[in-house]
Amino acid sequence: MAAYELHYWPGLQGRGEFVRLALEEAGAPYRDIALDDGVGGDTGIDDPAIITPAFALPVLRHGKRVIGQTAAILLYLGDRHGLAPRSEAGRLWTHQLQLTIADVVTEAHDAHHPIGSGLYYEDQKPEAKRRAADFCAERVPKFLQWFEAVLERNPKGAAHLVGARVTYAETSLFQLVAGLRYAFPKASERALRKTPKVAALAEAVAGRPRIAAYLASERRIPFNEQGIFRHYPELDL
Amino acid sequence: MAAYELHYWPGLQGRGEFVRLALEEAGAPYRDIALDDGVGGDTGIDDPAIITPAFALPVLRHGKRVIGQTAAILLYLGDRHGLAPRSEAGRLWTHQLQLTIADVVTEAHDAHHPIGSGLYYEDQKPEAKRRAADFCAERVPKFLQWFEAVLERNPKGAAHLVGARVTYAETSLFQLVAGLRYAFPKASERALRKTPKVAALAEAVAGRPRIAAYLASERRIPFNEQGIFRHYPELDL
């Protein structure tokens, strides 16, 4: 089958990064349309011949398949590249972890855009400050403590979220921790001090050979203030 | 295997309703813990023996399985009750539709709680008014038009989202439309006039024998201002 095509906005990690990390860990060849072309990708909505258009980017194209929604893309890749268990229970649990990570990601975005993604940050700064205060004080610790509990309860040991192998939920948790550290350095370090197993897992993922090579490459777009995780010091509460 | 147990908050439809509708359409016996007991359900986080605790409700328990995240629960039920195609592509597409519905649901919630779910609506009314204006003017039409395009492109006809049969994505789209109509009657009617296939599908789902019986029963909790879809007239913009 053809190589994967990842369609995403240019110049930012965004939700596309969760797909990139899974593809990199899998060692799967892919074409990063935004990087290659310098233009945003394509959801398929403008082409009536595509019967499964996506609502939004990222989109993964693979042969005739057009798949949207980050978690659905990862479900697809997980099966193909051993990035999730084969058992139904393990596969669903991995997906449940990913969906919870996706919830934190949405909240991290809304911390700087609580009123609407169509408006500039500058037009919603007071609201962002209120929302970020709640996110930093309540939500980040609660989410990270839940992941810590998941690691503590894994019968195969706290080095992994699911069983004894890396899954796409782990490359995603790495990205979540990296993003929180970039955007909210004080708040996230405060929370991570109480969730050492989460911090250790993020470090272990960063040290995996393919992930380390990717992070050191030019393919890894640096965090910036166009992405989901934005460092506005006034929001790090 | 044991009957299903749905754990959810008492007295509101919330995200639990998407699970209830799938179970009702399937004719699957289930115990609704909140309804039966008058107390909220249980994520499993307080019981260290549960190795797959959920971050939040709803939770479906089935024998030894403890499953969280609405979309993951529906993925599980879809396979078991023929509420999604058996083919990998159809199954994933159904899930992608559900994940997009979940995104609208989160935005519908945030329209009245843009600053934080831990705060009262009364403490974020000005912010809610700004966010709801964006939600009603931009987001609701965009989402409904996307579902309209999906229906128009279905090679099996516009009566269904996926293939020629009902799926959990359809019971969920019914609930989304019902919720939007309750919470934002003016804005949603305005959008639905331009998306007649979405409106027709919602009506068709409501008329399915098991769904109609459920909606007429006492098991259906009325919409109210504790749920996700809240009717605050000042937000119907």
Side-chain angles (χ1 to χ4, degrees), chain A residues 84-157:
Chain A
R86 286 191 184 280
S87 73
E88 190 210 20
R91 188 172 174 269
L92 197 66
W93 174 230
T94 306
H95 195 56
Q96 182 179 334
L97 294 167
Q98 177 62 42
L99 291 170
T100 307
I101 291 167
D103 285 345
V104 199
V105 169
T106 296
E107 294 192 22
H109 169 270
D110 289 358
H112 53 78
H113 271 71
I115 301 302
S117 28
L119 302 170
Y120 290 108
Y121 167 61
E122 285 67 28
D123 293 331
Q124 48 193 309
K125 274 177 95 163
E127 294 92 341
K129 206 160 174 181
R130 281 192 76 193
R131 171 120 189 190
D134 184 71
F135 181 67
C136 290
E138 306 294 333
R139 303 298 285 171
V140 170
K142 189 175 175 187
F143 276 114
L144 293 184
Q145 279 158 23
W146 180 76
F147 284 106
E148 188 82 359
V150 167
L151 288 167
E152 283 167 356
R153 291 180 190 189
N154 182 356
K156 302 276 187 180

Side-chain angles (χ1 to χ4, degrees), chain A residues 154-175:
Chain A
N154 182 356
K156 302 276 187 180
H160 290 287
L161 286 168
V162 185
R165 295 185 57 189
V166 71
T167 61
Y168 63 78
E170 290 191 3
T171 51
S172 292
L173 186 60
F174 155 76
Q175 175 66 8

Side-chain angles (χ1 to χ4, degrees), chain A residues 44-45 47 50-51 53-55 68-69 80 88 91 95-96 100 103 114 123 127 130-131 143 146 153, chain B residues 44-45 47 50-51 53-55 68-69 80 88 91 95-96 100 103 114 123 127 130-131 143 146 153:
Chain A
I45 195 72
D47 178 356
I50 290 177
I51 62 170
F55 180 77
Q69 285 284 353
R80 271 176 179 59
E88 190 210 20
R91 188 172 174 269
H95 195 56
Q96 182 179 334
T100 307
D103 285 345
D123 293 331
E127 294 92 341
R130 281 192 76 193
R131 171 120 189 190
F143 276 114
W146 180 76
R153 291 180 190 189
Chain B
I45 195 70
D47 178 355
I50 291 176
I51 62 170
F55 180 77
Q69 286 284 353
R80 271 179 179 57
E88 191 211 18
R91 189 172 174 268
H95 195 56
Q96 181 178 335
T100 308
D103 286 345
D123 293 330
E127 294 94 340
R130 283 192 76 193
R131 172 121 190 189
F143 276 114
W146 180 76
R153 293 181 189 188

